[in-house]
Amino acid sequence: MVNFMKNKSIWMNNVNNNKLEKLGKDIECDVLIIGGGIAGLSVAYQMMNSGKNIVLIEKDKCGMGTTSKNTGKLTWMQDLIYSKLSKNYNGDVAKLYLDSQIDAINIVKNIVDKNKINCHLTKTKSYIFSYNGNDYIDFSDEIEFYKKNNIKYKLLDKLPLDYSCKYSLETDNSYVFNPYEYLVGLKNVVKDKIKIYEDTRCVSVDKDNDSYVTKVMSGYKIRSKYVVVASHYPPFIVPFLTPFKTRVDRFFLSASKCDDSKNIQIISHGKRSISMRYYNDDKDNYFIYGRRSHSITSNLDVRDDYAELSEEYKKHFGKDIEYFYHTHDLMTYDGMPFIGSIDKNLLICTGFNKWGNTNGTIAGSVIADIILRRENKYIGLFNPKRGLSFDKIKNLFLYNIEVGSRYIINKICSSKSYYGDDVKIEYINGKKCGVYIDKKGDRHVVSNICPHMKCNLIFNYIDKTWDCPCHASRFDIDGKVINGPSNYDISVND
């Protein structure tokens, strides 16, 4: 078990995020935005002067979801994605995706400058590296794309810090920032132009003739012409069938104070997914190190991930970790997000494939232009109903085999071998329950079944939560839902 100082995101330190009111009555609006992360707030920003009556609801406080726990990178250099997109589609599609990421960076820069948002936005060099000599062919394909599109780069045999490397690609014009500070700033900009309700969880979205009726946890309803689902994971299964088109990955991050700071950001190519960058909060320098991205269906005992991360940090940088946290990434089968319409006047923006800061930002522009019927060259690129190829069908099949296997295994054996005497799976009054016994000896009893798609939940010893290993819903020890896609709690009476 790892001893750590703070199991929280470093981005939230010393940031004031005042809570807004909760929805307390039935209302009507033109556009309802569900989700107050980077996608939802970006949609709100792009539409706040449109003359439409816009409402945004957020289950907690805006900005406290997935975005607040990511790496804080704003970069178009996203592993070797352009050679991958060129193979899945063609070079024109890959170039269009590149343009969208550069546009997203410029949108953030303009918003920060215009509204004087202090989010420590800093220009950096960006690096992709490999510690495996066999990756050279992959790098060669990416370099070929760079050459065709006049992208300046350097091919090096080292990194600008002491870390094992066979070769790396270096480019300019990427940025880093504090994503939580940015979202709080964005919230403060739009809250006077649109209505934001926090602590307001969506539980259902139903079509009613030419409008939608969205019900929230308190029972109140919102009638709207348009609904934009900008939550990390859409809160419904149909019509888009998100669980069958995506995979959820978990990524672990750590941070500790350091002596210096460099304007660089680094990622590795391959499954280990090493991420490195520096951060200065105006008082201290921090080095942020992430690694071991993997599907939530594997490595179920997260203590192993934290232990490995701690050992790696100590080995490479000679320090103990001060901050531990992790995030979830919704991965699509073709490497591009789903942004656009899935039904008449029902739109989604999700599946950002680890690059939510840029894809969530460009989603704001795309969704706003769809609703306002303006031209946008990325509408077709990100269309959630885009066609399937053989490779994409193969990826869909593999995704579903992976999740389906976890579902079956969990049903067969819901009690894990790593559980101690403080965690039990019991049948109480004929219902399968999860029991956590705290240090005082008090029993915390919940249903062990996720309301979303009935997967058995597993206990997370680091965060003291019950987690779904299929689609990443999370619940506290007393059953209150923390993260969706589940809309409902799992509380029971012992």
Side-chain angles (χ1 to χ4, degrees):
M1 179 68 181
V2 180
N3 294 318
F4 54 85
M5 291 179 63
K6 295 172 182 167
N7 182 15
K8 62 177 286 189
S9 168
I10 192 172
W11 308 128
M12 294 183 174
N13 277 355
N14 304 314
V15 180
N16 187 23
N17 186 3
N18 294 322
K19 195 166 199 173
L20 302 178
E21 68 176 309
K22 182 177 182 178
L23 181 66
K25 61 181 179 180
D26 293 345
I27 60 172
E28 295 185 5
C29 61
D30 296 322
V31 181
L32 172 65
I33 303 168
I34 301 172
I38 194 164
L41 286 170
S42 294
V43 174
Y45 183 87
Q46 297 294 339
M47 295 196 68
M48 66 182 182
N49 296 316
S50 65
K52 292 187 179 295
N53 179 9
I54 301 169
V55 171
L56 184 149
I57 60 173
E58 162 58 37
K59 62 180 175 58
D60 197 334
K61 288 197 292 188
C62 289
M64 292 190 67
T66 303
T67 309
S68 69
K69 301 175 183 66
N70 68 30
T71 59
K73 296 178 179 178
L74 278 165
T75 180
W76 54 267
M77 197 182 192
Q78 303 167 1
D79 199 345
L80 305 181
I81 191 171
Y82 301 105
S83 53
K84 176 182 176 181
L85 292 178
S86 296
K87 292 174 183 176
N88 281 348
Y89 292 96
N90 55 58
D92 291 339
V93 169
K95 176 59 166 60
L96 193 59
Y97 180 79
L98 169 65
D99 291 345
S100 75
Q101 304 306 288
I102 294 173
D103 281 353
I105 294 170
N106 289 329
I107 289 171
V108 172
K109 287 169 56 184
N110 290 336
I111 290 174
V112 169
D113 290 343
K114 181 178 179 179
N115 299 285
K116 296 179 173 54
I117 297 175
N118 179 21
C119 59
H120 296 85
L121 183 66
T122 306
K123 189 175 182 179
T124 70
K125 291 185 178 297
S126 186
Y127 298 83
I128 300 171
F129 77 97
S130 174
Y131 30 74
N132 184 349
N134 295 327
D135 288 336
Y136 188 76
I137 293 177
D138 294 339
F139 274 71
S140 297
D141 291 341
E142 193 78 357
I143 289 171
E144 187 64 26
F145 175 85
Y146 285 8
K147 290 179 178 178
K148 287 181 179 179
N149 292 280
N150 299 314
I151 298 172
K152 294 181 179 179
Y153 72 93
K154 291 181 181 178
L155 181 61
L156 308 171
D157 61 359
K158 60 182 179 180
L159 291 170
L161 49 72
D162 186 15
Y163 200 92
S164 177
C165 170
K166 291 290 185 181
Y167 33 76
S168 67
L169 281 173
E170 176 195 273
T171 64
D172 295 318
N173 301 318
S174 290
Y175 288 77
V176 293
F177 69 153
N178 180 325
Y180 187 59
E181 282 183 329
Y182 174 71
L183 290 191
V184 172
L186 206 55
K187 166 185 162 179
N188 290 333
V189 171
V190 303
K191 67 181 177 63
D192 294 329
K193 298 287 188 70
I194 73 167
K195 189 63 181 177
I196 298 178
Y197 294 100
E198 296 185 325
D199 194 22
T200 301
R201 177 182 291 277
C202 163
V203 295
S204 65
V205 178
D206 296 303
K207 199 167 187 178
D208 184 21
N209 295 320
D210 291 331
S211 62
Y212 288 90
V213 177
T214 300
K215 185 178 179 181
V216 303
M217 185 67 75
S218 59
Y220 294 111
K221 298 177 180 179
I222 306 169
R223 181 176 291 273
S224 62
K225 181 178 180 181
Y226 294 91
V227 172
V228 179
V229 180
S231 55
H232 172 64
Y233 202 117
F236 45 71
I237 297 174
V238 293
F240 190 58
L241 301 176
T242 305
F244 304 104
K245 298 180 180 179
T246 58
R247 181 188 78 233
V248 183
D249 281 5
R250 183 187 287 118
F251 187 61
F252 295 83
L253 289 144
S254 59
S256 286
K257 291 177 184 176
C258 60
D259 295 330
D260 61 352
S261 182
K262 299 178 181 180
N263 292 335
I264 59 173
Q265 56 175 289
I266 301 171
I267 57 170
S268 67
H269 173 58
K271 292 184 178 180
R272 287 178 66 189
S273 299
I274 306 298
S275 173
M276 294 179 275
R277 60 158 291 194
Y278 291 87
Y279 171 59
N280 182 286
D281 65 357
D282 297 327
K283 181 182 177 182
D284 297 300
N285 294 318
Y286 290 89
F287 186 73
I288 299 171
Y289 180 73
R291 63 157 293 150
R292 212 180 185 201
S293 175
H294 60 73
S295 169
I296 59 168
T297 63
S298 61
N299 300 358
L300 297 183
D301 188 356
V302 296
R303 291 176 298 183
D304 294 340
D305 295 288
Y306 279 103
E308 185 173 322
L309 185 62
S310 180
E311 291 168 6
E312 284 283 308
Y313 202 100
K314 185 79 171 181
K315 172 185 174 182
H316 289 290
F317 312 111
K319 291 180 178 292
D320 291 324
I321 290 174
E322 297 180 40
Y323 293 84
F324 276 114
Y325 51 106
H326 64 84
T327 189
H328 290 116
D329 298 299
L330 195 60
M331 312 295 291
T332 65
Y333 52 79
D334 63 353
M336 286 197 296
F338 298 129
I339 303 170
S341 301
I342 59 172
D343 203 349
K344 184 180 179 181
N345 298 341
L346 178 62
L347 305 98
I348 62 169
C349 32
T350 190
F352 295 151
N353 297 290
K354 302 182 185 298
W355 304 107
N357 293 327
T358 48
N359 282 318
T361 297
I362 204 65
S365 174
V366 172
I367 295 295
D369 287 345
I370 291 173
I371 294 174
L372 298 175
R373 301 188 179 183
R374 299 185 302 214
E375 292 293 325
N376 187 304
K377 66 180 182 178
Y378 305 124
I379 291 175
L381 179 70
F382 297 132
N383 183 357
K385 296 181 179 179
R386 57 186 176 263
L388 293 173
S389 66
F390 174 78
D391 284 340
K392 287 185 279 184
I393 291 172
K394 180 181 70 175
N395 287 340
L396 273 173
F397 177 76
L398 293 174
Y399 277 18
N400 284 288
I401 287 292
E402 184 177 32
V403 174
S405 298
R406 175 55 54 194
Y407 180 89
I408 293 170
I409 291 170
N410 266 21
K411 286 296 183 184
I412 294 173
C413 183
S414 55
S415 183
K416 305 305 171 190
S417 60
Y418 60 83
Y419 287 173
D421 293 337
D422 53 349
V423 176
K424 303 177 184 299
I425 304 298
E426 300 178 354
Y427 280 90
I428 300 174
N429 297 325
K431 186 173 185 177
K432 182 181 282 188
C433 295
V435 181
Y436 170 64
I437 304 170
D438 64 26
K439 292 181 179 180
K440 297 179 181 179
D442 295 333
R443 286 166 55 93
H444 300 263
V445 183
V446 300
S447 169
N448 188 243
I449 307 298
C450 180
H452 176 233
M453 291 186 71
K454 310 306 179 185
C455 189
N456 286 346
L457 302 172
I458 58 172
F459 191 73
N460 177 333
Y461 270 102
I462 295 292
D463 299 320
K464 300 296 186 293
T465 57
W466 289 95
D467 298 351
C468 175
C470 299
H471 305 110
S473 294
R474 306 185 72 206
F475 310 84
D476 68 19
I477 56 173
D478 295 310
K480 183 178 180 181
V481 61
I482 300 170
N483 292 325
S486 175
N487 299 319
Y488 300 98
D489 297 340
I490 54 171
S491 305
V492 297
N493 295 320
D494 191 354

